[in-house]
Amino acid sequence: MAQLLEYKCPACGASLQFDSGSQQVVCPYCDSSFSPQSLIDYDAFLKQDAANANSETWDKDPEHWEKDEASGLNIYVCSACGGEVLGDDTLASARCPFCDNTVIMKRQFTGEWKPDLVLPFQLDREHAMEGFRKHLFGKKLLNKAFRSESNVQEIKGIYVPFWLFSSDIRTNARYSGTRSRAWTSGGYDYVETSRYALLRSADAHFERIPVDGSMKMNDALMDSLEPFDFSKAVDFQTAYLSGYFADRYDVDAEKSVERARTRFGNTIGRMMSSTTAGFSSVSLETSTTSEHNNKREYALLPVWLLHVSWKNKLYTFAMNGQTGKFVGNLPLDKGRYWKLWALYALAIGGGLSALIVLLHFLGMGGGCL
């Protein structure tokens, strides 16, 4: 059985939770509150516990896990009620399904898995629901029945593991540009094309570019939640996890850095391309890139996940737990789609052209509204 870490109220012994509104760790039963800093001794305990780990405990190096633990499924025992919490190897914080007590799998935050930073939740569950309502508002091609909040199967706040990459990038590139002019003389048409070698250099500093380190999270969905304000990030303390789910990374930094490099390159490429205006055509011939002052950090970032069930399909939405930015694709109501374009055809009086456009769009199926 895996060991769990819980925060108990010194006044009444109930389980403590992190409150995003007051940014304090509070007791929901006796209303006592504590600053996360006051619970830093728990982190010291974790470090000492990791240092004293041996082959018989859960807190041993990952390469020495027992066979049953390495199978990818673990059973955690809630010390409050004795109930069992089932989770995979990356589960780091959860709620007991029997007593709703918050439990933290301390093994997931020791050694190489200890995060450098945590960005505390600023928005609560009601903000997530309000974000969902606003996301649906004004969507004319959305089925009205989808809007029912009874379709929301689950809402949970989760700290998602992210790698943050910082680097100074220098890129040198050579483009080929052309300019053309045409004229007519003596009954002949002439075209003159001049070719130019365009040399460009760019220096850029990238600070804490986030890449999610969880295979369970949709990369596009997580990228869409940016930006995060990292000025409000704090040194990692497990107290911030109370009341929320959390995962540890299962995609390491070496695998994640390539996604960050792609973003670096795309950003610098756009910067340099913007300086080549005024040519008839421009093509990239060669480029070289060098990196300096590379730095990576492991952080837990706040995300609200909403799962909506509709016509035997599950739709996942996400909200930035700090800024409130809400993202997620909505199903297309084809019946309403047909009606819209039928009205459009009547309005323009060109039924055939409108029908061609309509058939083209219907061939695309559902999508984001």
mmCIF file with all atom_site columns, all heavy atoms in Angstrom, residues 54-73:
data_model
loop_
_atom_site.group_PDB
_atom_site.id
_atom_site.type_symbol
_atom_site.label_atom_id
_atom_site.label_alt_id
_atom_site.label_comp_id
_atom_site.label_asym_id
_atom_site.label_entity_id
_atom_site.label_seq_id
_atom_site.pdbx_PDB_ins_code
_atom_site.Cartn_x
_atom_site.Cartn_y
_atom_site.Cartn_z
_atom_site.occupancy
_atom_site.B_iso_or_equiv
_atom_site.pdbx_formal_charge
_atom_site.auth_seq_id
_atom_site.auth_comp_id
_atom_site.auth_asym_id
_atom_site.auth_atom_id
_atom_site.pdbx_PDB_model_num
ATOM 1   N N   . ASN A 1 54 ? 14.276 3.362   2.234   1.00 0.00 ? 54 ASN A N   1
ATOM 2   C CA  . ASN A 1 54 ? 14.986 2.099   2.032   1.00 0.00 ? 54 ASN A CA  1
ATOM 3   C C   . ASN A 1 54 ? 14.160 1.208   1.129   1.00 0.00 ? 54 ASN A C   1
ATOM 4   O O   . ASN A 1 54 ? 13.080 1.566   0.689   1.00 0.00 ? 54 ASN A O   1
ATOM 5   C CB  . ASN A 1 54 ? 15.273 1.405   3.369   1.00 0.00 ? 54 ASN A CB  1
ATOM 6   C CG  . ASN A 1 54 ? 14.006 1.162   4.166   1.00 0.00 ? 54 ASN A CG  1
ATOM 7   O OD1 . ASN A 1 54 ? 13.105 0.476   3.694   1.00 0.00 ? 54 ASN A OD1 1
ATOM 8   N ND2 . ASN A 1 54 ? 13.918 1.745   5.358   1.00 0.00 ? 54 ASN A ND2 1
ATOM 9   N N   . SER A 1 55 ? 14.624 0.021   0.861   1.00 0.00 ? 55 SER A N   1
ATOM 10  C CA  . SER A 1 55 ? 13.985 -0.857  -0.121  1.00 0.00 ? 55 SER A CA  1
ATOM 11  C C   . SER A 1 55 ? 12.631 -1.363  0.328   1.00 0.00 ? 55 SER A C   1
ATOM 12  O O   . SER A 1 55 ? 11.906 -1.945  -0.466  1.00 0.00 ? 55 SER A O   1
ATOM 13  C CB  . SER A 1 55 ? 14.897 -2.053  -0.424  1.00 0.00 ? 55 SER A CB  1
ATOM 14  O OG  . SER A 1 55 ? 15.142 -2.781  0.771   1.00 0.00 ? 55 SER A OG  1
ATOM 15  N N   . GLU A 1 56 ? 12.279 -1.141  1.578   1.00 0.00 ? 56 GLU A N   1
ATOM 16  C CA  . GLU A 1 56 ? 11.015 -1.650  2.075   1.00 0.00 ? 56 GLU A CA  1
ATOM 17  C C   . GLU A 1 56 ? 9.918  -0.598  2.086   1.00 0.00 ? 56 GLU A C   1
ATOM 18  O O   . GLU A 1 56 ? 8.804  -0.892  2.469   1.00 0.00 ? 56 GLU A O   1
ATOM 19  C CB  . GLU A 1 56 ? 11.208 -2.195  3.499   1.00 0.00 ? 56 GLU A CB  1
ATOM 20  C CG  . GLU A 1 56 ? 12.169 -3.365  3.592   1.00 0.00 ? 56 GLU A CG  1
ATOM 21  C CD  . GLU A 1 56 ? 11.723 -4.533  2.747   1.00 0.00 ? 56 GLU A CD  1
ATOM 22  O OE1 . GLU A 1 56 ? 10.514 -4.809  2.734   1.00 0.00 ? 56 GLU A OE1 1
ATOM 23  O OE2 . GLU A 1 56 ? 12.586 -5.154  2.082   1.00 0.00 ? 56 GLU A OE2 1
ATOM 24  N N   . THR A 1 57 ? 10.246 0.646   1.694   1.00 0.00 ? 57 THR A N   1
ATOM 25  C CA  . THR A 1 57 ? 9.257  1.714   1.770   1.00 0.00 ? 57 THR A CA  1
ATOM 26  C C   . THR A 1 57 ? 8.846  2.163   0.393   1.00 0.00 ? 57 THR A C   1
ATOM 27  O O   . THR A 1 57 ? 9.495  1.860   -0.612  1.00 0.00 ? 57 THR A O   1
ATOM 28  C CB  . THR A 1 57 ? 9.813  2.933   2.535   1.00 0.00 ? 57 THR A CB  1
ATOM 29  O OG1 . THR A 1 57 ? 10.856 3.529   1.755   1.00 0.00 ? 57 THR A OG1 1
ATOM 30  C CG2 . THR A 1 57 ? 10.337 2.536   3.892   1.00 0.00 ? 57 THR A CG2 1
ATOM 31  N N   . TRP A 1 58 ? 7.767  2.926   0.346   1.00 0.00 ? 58 TRP A N   1
ATOM 32  C CA  . TRP A 1 58 ? 7.264  3.495   -0.911  1.00 0.00 ? 58 TRP A CA  1
ATOM 33  C C   . TRP A 1 58 ? 8.218  4.549   -1.438  1.00 0.00 ? 58 TRP A C   1
ATOM 34  O O   . TRP A 1 58 ? 8.330  4.768   -2.638  1.00 0.00 ? 58 TRP A O   1
ATOM 35  C CB  . TRP A 1 58 ? 5.882  4.101   -0.632  1.00 0.00 ? 58 TRP A CB  1
ATOM 36  C CG  . TRP A 1 58 ? 5.333  4.949   -1.734  1.00 0.00 ? 58 TRP A CG  1
ATOM 37  C CD1 . TRP A 1 58 ? 5.234  6.288   -1.756  1.00 0.00 ? 58 TRP A CD1 1
ATOM 38  C CD2 . TRP A 1 58 ? 4.799  4.490   -2.974  1.00 0.00 ? 58 TRP A CD2 1
ATOM 39  N NE1 . TRP A 1 58 ? 4.672  6.713   -2.929  1.00 0.00 ? 58 TRP A NE1 1
ATOM 40  C CE2 . TRP A 1 58 ? 4.392  5.623   -3.693  1.00 0.00 ? 58 TRP A CE2 1
ATOM 41  C CE3 . TRP A 1 58 ? 4.626  3.230   -3.555  1.00 0.00 ? 58 TRP A CE3 1
ATOM 42  C CZ2 . TRP A 1 58 ? 3.818  5.544   -4.953  1.00 0.00 ? 58 TRP A CZ2 1
ATOM 43  C CZ3 . TRP A 1 58 ? 4.066  3.143   -4.800  1.00 0.00 ? 58 TRP A CZ3 1
ATOM 44  C CH2 . TRP A 1 58 ? 3.672  4.280   -5.488  1.00 0.00 ? 58 TRP A CH2 1
ATOM 45  N N   . ASP A 1 59 ? 8.957  5.246   -0.533  1.00 0.00 ? 59 ASP A N   1
ATOM 46  C CA  . ASP A 1 59 ? 9.811  6.363   -0.926  1.00 0.00 ? 59 ASP A CA  1
ATOM 47  C C   . ASP A 1 59 ? 11.183 5.895   -1.372  1.00 0.00 ? 59 ASP A C   1
ATOM 48  O O   . ASP A 1 59 ? 12.198 6.335   -0.858  1.00 0.00 ? 59 ASP A O   1
ATOM 49  C CB  . ASP A 1 59 ? 9.971  7.345   0.243   1.00 0.00 ? 59 ASP A CB  1
ATOM 50  C CG  . ASP A 1 59 ? 8.659  8.007   0.578   1.00 0.00 ? 59 ASP A CG  1
ATOM 51  O OD1 . ASP A 1 59 ? 8.028  8.539   -0.333  1.00 0.00 ? 59 ASP A OD1 1
ATOM 52  O OD2 . ASP A 1 59 ? 8.278  7.953   1.755   1.00 0.00 ? 59 ASP A OD2 1
ATOM 53  N N   . LYS A 1 60 ? 11.227 5.014   -2.335  1.00 0.00 ? 60 LYS A N   1
ATOM 54  C CA  . LYS A 1 60 ? 12.502 4.594   -2.884  1.00 0.00 ? 60 LYS A CA  1
ATOM 55  C C   . LYS A 1 60 ? 12.584 5.028   -4.333  1.00 0.00 ? 60 LYS A C   1
ATOM 56  O O   . LYS A 1 60 ? 11.614 5.487   -4.919  1.00 0.00 ? 60 LYS A O   1
ATOM 57  C CB  . LYS A 1 60 ? 12.666 3.085   -2.771  1.00 0.00 ? 60 LYS A CB  1
ATOM 58  C CG  . LYS A 1 60 ? 11.505 2.255   -3.336  1.00 0.00 ? 60 LYS A CG  1
ATOM 59  C CD  . LYS A 1 60 ? 11.749 0.808   -3.066  1.00 0.00 ? 60 LYS A CD  1
ATOM 60  C CE  . LYS A 1 60 ? 10.571 -0.059  -3.500  1.00 0.00 ? 60 LYS A CE  1
ATOM 61  N NZ  . LYS A 1 60 ? 9.422  0.096   -2.667  1.00 0.00 ? 60 LYS A NZ  1
ATOM 62  N N   . ASP A 1 61 ? 13.766 4.931   -4.913  1.00 0.00 ? 61 ASP A N   1
ATOM 63  C CA  . ASP A 1 61 ? 13.964 5.392   -6.274  1.00 0.00 ? 61 ASP A CA  1
ATOM 64  C C   . ASP A 1 61 ? 13.036 4.653   -7.220  1.00 0.00 ? 61 ASP A C   1
ATOM 65  O O   . ASP A 1 61 ? 12.753 3.465   -7.048  1.00 0.00 ? 61 ASP A O   1
ATOM 66  C CB  . ASP A 1 61 ? 15.419 5.154   -6.718  1.00 0.00 ? 61 ASP A CB  1
ATOM 67  C CG  . ASP A 1 61 ? 16.371 6.050   -5.937  1.00 0.00 ? 61 ASP A CG  1
ATOM 68  O OD1 . ASP A 1 61 ? 15.896 7.097   -5.454  1.00 0.00 ? 61 ASP A OD1 1
ATOM 69  O OD2 . ASP A 1 61 ? 17.555 5.697   -5.825  1.00 0.00 ? 61 ASP A OD2 1
ATOM 70  N N   . PRO A 1 62 ? 12.550 5.311   -8.278  1.00 0.00 ? 62 PRO A N   1
ATOM 71  C CA  . PRO A 1 62 ? 11.573 4.703   -9.157  1.00 0.00 ? 62 PRO A CA  1
ATOM 72  C C   . PRO A 1 62 ? 12.043 3.416   -9.806  1.00 0.00 ? 62 PRO A C   1
ATOM 73  O O   . PRO A 1 62 ? 11.255 2.526   -10.081 1.00 0.00 ? 62 PRO A O   1
ATOM 74  C CB  . PRO A 1 62 ? 11.300 5.777   -10.207 1.00 0.00 ? 62 PRO A CB  1
ATOM 75  C CG  . PRO A 1 62 ? 12.220 6.895   -9.934  1.00 0.00 ? 62 PRO A CG  1
ATOM 76  C CD  . PRO A 1 62 ? 12.837 6.686   -8.615  1.00 0.00 ? 62 PRO A CD  1
ATOM 77  N N   . GLU A 1 63 ? 13.359 3.299   -10.025 1.00 0.00 ? 63 GLU A N   1
ATOM 78  C CA  . GLU A 1 63 ? 13.829 2.080   -10.690 1.00 0.00 ? 63 GLU A CA  1
ATOM 79  C C   . GLU A 1 63 ? 13.775 0.865   -9.777  1.00 0.00 ? 63 GLU A C   1
ATOM 80  O O   . GLU A 1 63 ? 13.991 -0.255  -10.227 1.00 0.00 ? 63 GLU A O   1
ATOM 81  C CB  . GLU A 1 63 ? 15.251 2.272   -11.233 1.00 0.00 ? 63 GLU A CB  1
ATOM 82  C CG  . GLU A 1 63 ? 16.308 2.572   -10.172 1.00 0.00 ? 63 GLU A CG  1
ATOM 83  C CD  . GLU A 1 63 ? 16.487 4.067   -9.965  1.00 0.00 ? 63 GLU A CD  1
ATOM 84  O OE1 . GLU A 1 63 ? 15.523 4.812   -10.240 1.00 0.00 ? 63 GLU A OE1 1
ATOM 85  O OE2 . GLU A 1 63 ? 17.574 4.485   -9.535  1.00 0.00 ? 63 GLU A OE2 1
ATOM 86  N N   . HIS A 1 64 ? 13.481 1.058   -8.482  1.00 0.00 ? 64 HIS A N   1
ATOM 87  C CA  . HIS A 1 64 ? 13.407 -0.068  -7.549  1.00 0.00 ? 64 HIS A CA  1
ATOM 88  C C   . HIS A 1 64 ? 11.997 -0.320  -7.053  1.00 0.00 ? 64 HIS A C   1
ATOM 89  O O   . HIS A 1 64 ? 11.801 -0.901  -6.003  1.00 0.00 ? 64 HIS A O   1
ATOM 90  C CB  . HIS A 1 64 ? 14.329 0.186   -6.348  1.00 0.00 ? 64 HIS A CB  1
ATOM 91  C CG  . HIS A 1 64 ? 15.769 0.324   -6.733  1.00 0.00 ? 64 HIS A CG  1
ATOM 92  N ND1 . HIS A 1 64 ? 16.462 -0.640  -7.411  1.00 0.00 ? 64 HIS A ND1 1
ATOM 93  C CD2 . HIS A 1 64 ? 16.641 1.359   -6.542  1.00 0.00 ? 64 HIS A CD2 1
ATOM 94  C CE1 . HIS A 1 64 ? 17.712 -0.241  -7.611  1.00 0.00 ? 64 HIS A CE1 1
ATOM 95  N NE2 . HIS A 1 64 ? 17.834 0.975   -7.113  1.00 0.00 ? 64 HIS A NE2 1
ATOM 96  N N   . TRP A 1 65 ? 10.991 0.129   -7.780  1.00 0.00 ? 65 TRP A N   1
ATOM 97  C CA  . TRP A 1 65 ? 9.613  -0.134  -7.368  1.00 0.00 ? 65 TRP A CA  1
ATOM 98  C C   . TRP A 1 65 ? 9.358  -1.638  -7.329  1.00 0.00 ? 65 TRP A C   1
ATOM 99  O O   . TRP A 1 65 ? 9.955  -2.422  -8.066  1.00 0.00 ? 65 TRP A O   1
ATOM 100 C CB  . TRP A 1 65 ? 8.637  0.498   -8.350  1.00 0.00 ? 65 TRP A CB  1
ATOM 101 C CG  . TRP A 1 65 ? 8.544  1.977   -8.202  1.00 0.00 ? 65 TRP A CG  1
ATOM 102 C CD1 . TRP A 1 65 ? 9.247  2.779   -7.372  1.00 0.00 ? 65 TRP A CD1 1
ATOM 103 C CD2 . TRP A 1 65 ? 7.681  2.841   -8.946  1.00 0.00 ? 65 TRP A CD2 1
ATOM 104 N NE1 . TRP A 1 65 ? 8.879  4.091   -7.529  1.00 0.00 ? 65 TRP A NE1 1
ATOM 105 C CE2 . TRP A 1 65 ? 7.937  4.156   -8.475  1.00 0.00 ? 65 TRP A CE2 1
ATOM 106 C CE3 . TRP A 1 65 ? 6.733  2.640   -9.939  1.00 0.00 ? 65 TRP A CE3 1
ATOM 107 C CZ2 . TRP A 1 65 ? 7.257  5.247   -8.988  1.00 0.00 ? 65 TRP A CZ2 1
ATOM 108 C CZ3 . TRP A 1 65 ? 6.069  3.733   -10.449 1.00 0.00 ? 65 TRP A CZ3 1
ATOM 109 C CH2 . TRP A 1 65 ? 6.329  5.020   -9.970  1.00 0.00 ? 65 TRP A CH2 1
ATOM 110 N N   . GLU A 1 66 ? 8.422  -2.002  -6.469  1.00 0.00 ? 66 GLU A N   1
ATOM 111 C CA  . GLU A 1 66 ? 7.995  -3.391  -6.433  1.00 0.00 ? 66 GLU A CA  1
ATOM 112 C C   . GLU A 1 66 ? 7.247  -3.729  -7.713  1.00 0.00 ? 66 GLU A C   1
ATOM 113 O O   . GLU A 1 66 ? 6.711  -2.865  -8.393  1.00 0.00 ? 66 GLU A O   1
ATOM 114 C CB  . GLU A 1 66 ? 7.091  -3.631  -5.219  1.00 0.00 ? 66 GLU A CB  1
ATOM 115 C CG  . GLU A 1 66 ? 7.755  -3.360  -3.880  1.00 0.00 ? 66 GLU A CG  1
ATOM 116 C CD  . GLU A 1 66 ? 8.905  -4.299  -3.594  1.00 0.00 ? 66 GLU A CD  1
ATOM 117 O OE1 . GLU A 1 66 ? 8.947  -5.388  -4.227  1.00 0.00 ? 66 GLU A OE1 1
ATOM 118 O OE2 . GLU A 1 66 ? 9.752  -3.973  -2.761  1.00 0.00 ? 66 GLU A OE2 1
ATOM 119 N N   . LYS A 1 67 ? 7.173  -5.006  -8.039  1.00 0.00 ? 67 LYS A N   1
ATOM 120 C CA  . LYS A 1 67 ? 6.548  -5.434  -9.283  1.00 0.00 ? 67 LYS A CA  1
ATOM 121 C C   . LYS A 1 67 ? 5.090  -5.018  -9.376  1.00 0.00 ? 67 LYS A C   1
ATOM 122 O O   . LYS A 1 67 ? 4.607  -4.626  -10.428 1.00 0.00 ? 67 LYS A O   1
ATOM 123 C CB  . LYS A 1 67 ? 6.664  -6.951  -9.438  1.00 0.00 ? 67 LYS A CB  1
ATOM 124 C CG  . LYS A 1 67 ? 8.090  -7.419  -9.648  1.00 0.00 ? 67 LYS A CG  1
ATOM 125 C CD  . LYS A 1 67 ? 8.140  -8.922  -9.831  1.00 0.00 ? 67 LYS A CD  1
ATOM 126 C CE  . LYS A 1 67 ? 9.579  -9.401  -10.060 1.00 0.00 ? 67 LYS A CE  1
ATOM 127 N NZ  . LYS A 1 67 ? 9.646  -10.862 -10.233 1.00 0.00 ? 67 LYS A NZ  1
ATOM 128 N N   . ASP A 1 68 ? 4.356  -5.122  -8.246  1.00 0.00 ? 68 ASP A N   1
ATOM 129 C CA  . ASP A 1 68 ? 2.939  -4.772  -8.301  1.00 0.00 ? 68 ASP A CA  1
ATOM 130 C C   . ASP A 1 68 ? 2.746  -3.274  -8.486  1.00 0.00 ? 68 ASP A C   1
ATOM 131 O O   . ASP A 1 68 ? 1.766  -2.842  -9.094  1.00 0.00 ? 68 ASP A O   1
ATOM 132 C CB  . ASP A 1 68 ? 2.199  -5.248  -7.038  1.00 0.00 ? 68 ASP A CB  1
ATOM 133 C CG  . ASP A 1 68 ? 2.765  -4.622  -5.767  1.00 0.00 ? 68 ASP A CG  1
ATOM 134 O OD1 . ASP A 1 68 ? 3.960  -4.268  -5.769  1.00 0.00 ? 68 ASP A OD1 1
ATOM 135 O OD2 . ASP A 1 68 ? 2.004  -4.494  -4.795  1.00 0.00 ? 68 ASP A OD2 1
ATOM 136 N N   . GLU A 1 69 ? 3.712  -2.461  -8.009  1.00 0.00 ? 69 GLU A N   1
ATOM 137 C CA  . GLU A 1 69 ? 3.610  -1.022  -8.207  1.00 0.00 ? 69 GLU A CA  1
ATOM 138 C C   . GLU A 1 69 ? 3.960  -0.648  -9.638  1.00 0.00 ? 69 GLU A C   1
ATOM 139 O O   . GLU A 1 69 ? 3.398  0.272   -10.217 1.00 0.00 ? 69 GLU A O   1
ATOM 140 C CB  . GLU A 1 69 ? 4.536  -0.290  -7.232  1.00 0.00 ? 69 GLU A CB  1
ATOM 141 C CG  . GLU A 1 69 ? 4.104  -0.440  -5.789  1.00 0.00 ? 69 GLU A CG  1
ATOM 142 C CD  . GLU A 1 69 ? 5.115  0.166   -4.826  1.00 0.00 ? 69 GLU A CD  1
ATOM 143 O OE1 . GLU A 1 69 ? 6.286  0.335   -5.242  1.00 0.00 ? 69 GLU A OE1 1
ATOM 144 O OE2 . GLU A 1 69 ? 4.744  0.460   -3.686  1.00 0.00 ? 69 GLU A OE2 1
ATOM 145 N N   . ALA A 1 70 ? 4.900  -1.363  -10.218 1.00 0.00 ? 70 ALA A N   1
ATOM 146 C CA  . ALA A 1 70 ? 5.327  -1.064  -11.583 1.00 0.00 ? 70 ALA A CA  1
ATOM 147 C C   . ALA A 1 70 ? 4.276  -1.443  -12.616 1.00 0.00 ? 70 ALA A C   1
ATOM 148 O O   . ALA A 1 70 ? 4.405  -1.112  -13.784 1.00 0.00 ? 70 ALA A O   1
ATOM 149 C CB  . ALA A 1 70 ? 6.636  -1.797  -11.885 1.00 0.00 ? 70 ALA A CB  1
ATOM 150 N N   . SER A 1 71 ? 3.241  -2.139  -12.199 1.00 0.00 ? 71 SER A N   1
ATOM 151 C CA  . SER A 1 71 ? 2.201  -2.537  -13.150 1.00 0.00 ? 71 SER A CA  1
ATOM 152 C C   . SER A 1 71 ? 1.385  -1.359  -13.634 1.00 0.00 ? 71 SER A C   1
ATOM 153 O O   . SER A 1 71 ? 0.612  -1.475  -14.569 1.00 0.00 ? 71 SER A O   1
ATOM 154 C CB  . SER A 1 71 ? 1.276  -3.571  -12.506 1.00 0.00 ? 71 SER A CB  1
ATOM 155 O OG  . SER A 1 71 ? 0.552  -2.976  -11.444 1.00 0.00 ? 71 SER A OG  1
ATOM 156 N N   . GLY A 1 72 ? 1.518  -0.191  -13.004 1.00 0.00 ? 72 GLY A N   1
ATOM 157 C CA  . GLY A 1 72 ? 0.810  1.005   -13.443 1.00 0.00 ? 72 GLY A CA  1
ATOM 158 C C   . GLY A 1 72 ? -0.453 1.298   -12.675 1.00 0.00 ? 72 GLY A C   1
ATOM 159 O O   . GLY A 1 72 ? -1.162 2.238   -12.985 1.00 0.00 ? 72 GLY A O   1
ATOM 160 N N   . LEU A 1 73 ? -0.759 0.503   -11.656 1.00 0.00 ? 73 LEU A N   1
ATOM 161 C CA  . LEU A 1 73 ? -1.966 0.728   -10.869 1.00 0.00 ? 73 LEU A CA  1
ATOM 162 C C   . LEU A 1 73 ? -1.628 0.570   -9.397  1.00 0.00 ? 73 LEU A C   1
ATOM 163 O O   . LEU A 1 73 ? -1.024 -0.425  -9.001  1.00 0.00 ? 73 LEU A O   1
ATOM 164 C CB  . LEU A 1 73 ? -3.047 -0.281  -11.278 1.00 0.00 ? 73 LEU A CB  1
ATOM 165 C CG  . LEU A 1 73 ? -4.481 0.057   -10.889 1.00 0.00 ? 73 LEU A CG  1
ATOM 166 C CD1 . LEU A 1 73 ? -4.911 1.362   -11.561 1.00 0.00 ? 73 LEU A CD1 1
ATOM 167 C CD2 . LEU A 1 73 ? -5.419 -1.065  -11.313 1.00 0.00 ? 73 LEU A CD2 1
#
